[in-house]
Amino acid sequence: MIKGEFAVPSLGALADEVAAVLAARHDPGVVPFERVLNAVVSHSFRDRKALTAALGSVPREFKMKPHAQVRCTAGIVGAAVGPVRAEESWENAGKGWLELCQHVALDYIAGARTGEVAARLRAGDPVPFLLSVPSGPTGAVEPYELVERLAQYERLGIRPGPADLGQALLRCGGPVDPEVVRAAETLELAEGPRVAAWLRQGGLPMPAWWREREAGEAERPSRRRGARIGRRILVGHEAIEGRGAFPRQFWSLFRKFEPHISCPHWSLPDYRDAHTVATLPWHPEIAAARLLTGVASAADQDGCGSPAFLEALASADGPAGPAVHLAVAYGLASVPERDREAAVRALVVLGSRGRLDGELLGRELTELVGLGTLRVPLLTGSLRAAVAVPEGSGAVWAVLAAALPGLLARTRPQVHGALLAVAADSARLSGARGELPEVTALAGRPGSSQLLIQARRLRDALAGV
């Protein structure tokens, strides 16, 4: 049933993959993690004794704290090779769950699924495969594959796990073939009508968004307090209908999200990775909005970075809106070099896939620079790196065409020359044409400074000279 890069490997190959994931301690990536998770479940269903023999000796102890997905893999393997506790009911998994923070709503969903999987393994009630195994690297599940998997469950008389099915549904989105919906309607499982209705509506509804700046006047940075009051722009969304059919751990996702709520979790980098985006691949905006405060901290407070998160947002299947563009904006001027490099790749991916709103990103960059949140030299360096990438010049010009007038007015003249040089290169390489009055006026001034030379280069490039 599961094909391609997520196909179940042999026991010998699985043992090697599990050992590699547990030994590395760092993030294994979406594909290796999902592949191992599903393979352990599948082999437990086929032959638990053989699985125990193959994986029982794989070390699962850590001297240092590993990545969350590595810890999760160790827990799943332990549940699969440990003694069966038939007296336990996997249906009680997560019964005592308590919502503490809306920022990590997608982590609650991922935890509910893996907790349910582990409970089923401990109870000796495994499934032949997970319904929520992705169809591709973004985490998305093809609707027809989900219906096929449910049909196989039906033939085997297996009840879908609520969290596994819930995650699978959240990974479905976009236009659905009417034939797939009709196939879902023929399922005799109790969950059939719900699945058919979900696919018919195109997956999780898109919430209404709003964008807001921190309250108060922008304060200067403070080395002692790290103050950044009034210097960030964040995104919130309205409540989403339809939470009742999902397990309680999913409900945080459906609540109204207010971007300025405070909690102790937002700065933890473990939540800002590709797995978070893969939990809801058709809605990267939700992931970006809820974790935007942490992304911003890498730009204005030298906080922990999130390079994998930025790239995953750009590569996701769903539309990129204000939160995704803001995340890229913060990333382009982040202090950690890896974040800036990831933001450059994200910018190019958005442009190459037709998902970049250059005017929107240009406006955000202009405002964030004006607030003092972004450092222009770092931003300029990132844009210069993007121009050097194939297909990057068009993306950079789309952004700078909107940002330059404001940036020239709001930044110090000392940084204008480098910024205009990047703009001139991007305009020339992308074949852009037109006129920016601010640049034309600057180019007409007498003198031979670097600022004026680059302004003339840009003016001439836009004129096709």
Side-chain angles (χ1 to χ4, degrees):
M1 289 295 298
I2 310 300
K3 306 172 184 177
E5 56 195 338
F6 296 97
V8 178
S10 66
L11 268 176
L14 175 60
D16 292 339
E17 291 184 28
V18 169
V21 168
L22 297 184
R25 294 200 302 272
H26 54 67
D27 182 3
V30 171
V31 173
F33 172 73
E34 294 285 351
R35 174 182 161 92
V36 165
L37 181 65
N38 180 67
V40 170
V41 169
S42 181
H43 277 294
S44 181
F45 180 84
R46 298 175 188 178
D47 190 339
R48 187 177 182 120
K49 289 184 178 180
L51 178 68
T52 301
L55 300 184
S57 61
V58 175
R60 300 194 301 276
E61 301 294 330
F62 305 103
K63 293 182 179 179
M64 298 177 62
K65 183 179 178 181
H67 189 274
Q69 264 58 43
V70 177
R71 298 196 303 272
C72 179
T73 300
I76 294 295
V77 171
V81 303
V84 173
R85 302 168 185 171
E87 70 280 1
E88 292 189 9
S89 173
W90 62 267
E91 297 177 17
N92 292 327
K95 187 175 181 180
W97 175 80
L98 177 65
E99 178 185 23
L100 297 175
C101 171
Q102 280 192 287
H103 289 110
V104 293
L106 299 187
D107 188 66
Y108 289 150
I109 293 170
R113 179 184 66 142
T114 54
E116 179 183 271
V117 169
R120 287 192 90 148
L121 290 170
R122 286 193 298 269
D125 184 21
V127 294
F129 45 79
L130 297 177
L131 298 172
S132 55
V133 180
S135 302
T138 65
V141 172
E142 291 292 343
Y144 76 89
E145 290 191 19
L146 175 58
V147 175
E148 287 180 351
R149 295 170 191 175
L150 286 167
Q152 181 69 1
Y153 269 42
E154 185 177 286
R155 286 191 290 271
L156 295 172
I158 295 174
R159 180 187 170 192
D164 184 31
L165 176 59
Q167 172 65 100
L169 291 175
L170 291 179
R171 284 178 164 173
C172 288
V176 179
D177 188 333
E179 289 295 326
V180 176
V181 176
R182 283 192 282 272
E185 292 170 342
T186 66
L187 292 171
E188 295 182 4
L189 288 170
E191 294 82 3
R194 174 192 173 198
V195 172
W198 183 265
L199 297 180
R200 192 181 301 113
Q201 74 177 16
L204 185 73
M206 194 70 69
W209 301 95
W210 75 86
R211 168 189 174 281
E212 62 183 63
R213 207 191 91 188
E214 287 179 323
E217 292 301 315
E219 294 187 358
R220 292 182 60 82
S222 165
R223 290 187 179 276
R224 182 173 63 85
R225 294 185 296 110
R228 292 297 187 273
I229 296 175
R231 294 162 61 91
R232 288 178 179 165
I233 303 169
L234 302 175
V235 175
H237 69 75
E238 298 291 349
I240 307 172
E241 297 294 327
R243 76 176 191 182
F246 289 86
R248 284 184 58 83
Q249 295 98 313
F250 287 56
W251 287 11
S252 185
L253 165 68
F254 292 83
R255 301 187 198 283
K256 178 180 179 179
F257 175 67
E258 299 178 81
H260 289 117
I261 57 175
S262 180
C263 76
H265 294 98
W266 62 262
S267 63
L268 298 179
D270 260 9
Y271 298 112
R272 299 194 305 275
D273 56 26
H275 301 275
T276 304
V277 182
T279 301
L280 202 61
W282 286 95
H283 290 72
E285 278 293 292
I286 291 178
R290 289 171 183 259
L291 297 173
L292 200 54
T293 307
V295 175
S297 72
D300 67 9
Q301 287 185 321
D302 302 355
C304 295
S306 47
F309 183 66
L310 293 171
E311 291 188 68
L313 289 175
S315 302
D317 299 277
V324 170
H325 283 78
L326 273 168
V328 174
Y330 288 121
L332 289 171
S334 288
V335 174
E337 184 178 0
R338 291 181 63 226
D339 277 52
R340 297 199 302 274
E341 292 172 349
V344 167
R345 291 191 290 271
L347 173 63
V348 175
V349 168
L350 287 174
S352 65
R353 297 182 62 190
R355 300 172 66 229
L356 174 67
D357 186 334
E359 185 175 349
L360 172 60
L361 182 53
R363 289 198 308 268
E364 301 295 13
L365 290 173
T366 300
E367 185 166 357
L368 289 169
V369 166
L371 291 171
T373 309
L374 303 186
R375 307 174 198 186
V376 178
L378 293 178
L379 172 61
T380 302
S382 294
L383 295 177
R384 183 184 299 113
V387 171
V389 176
E391 300 186 44
S393 58
V396 171
W397 176 248
V399 173
L400 285 179
L404 267 181
L407 290 177
L408 291 175
R410 299 187 186 195
T411 54
R412 294 175 291 110
Q414 294 93 317
V415 302
H416 291 174
L419 192 63
L420 286 170
V422 173
D425 289 340
S426 65
R428 178 179 58 82
L429 292 171
S430 64
R433 295 292 182 270
E435 182 187 14
L436 292 179
E438 295 83 358
V439 172
T440 301
L442 189 59
R445 294 181 186 176
S448 58
S449 67
Q450 187 66 16
L451 169 65
L452 299 180
I453 290 173
Q454 298 304 330
R456 290 164 191 155
R457 280 188 65 224
L458 176 55
R459 178 198 60 190
D460 293 347
L462 292 175
V465 176

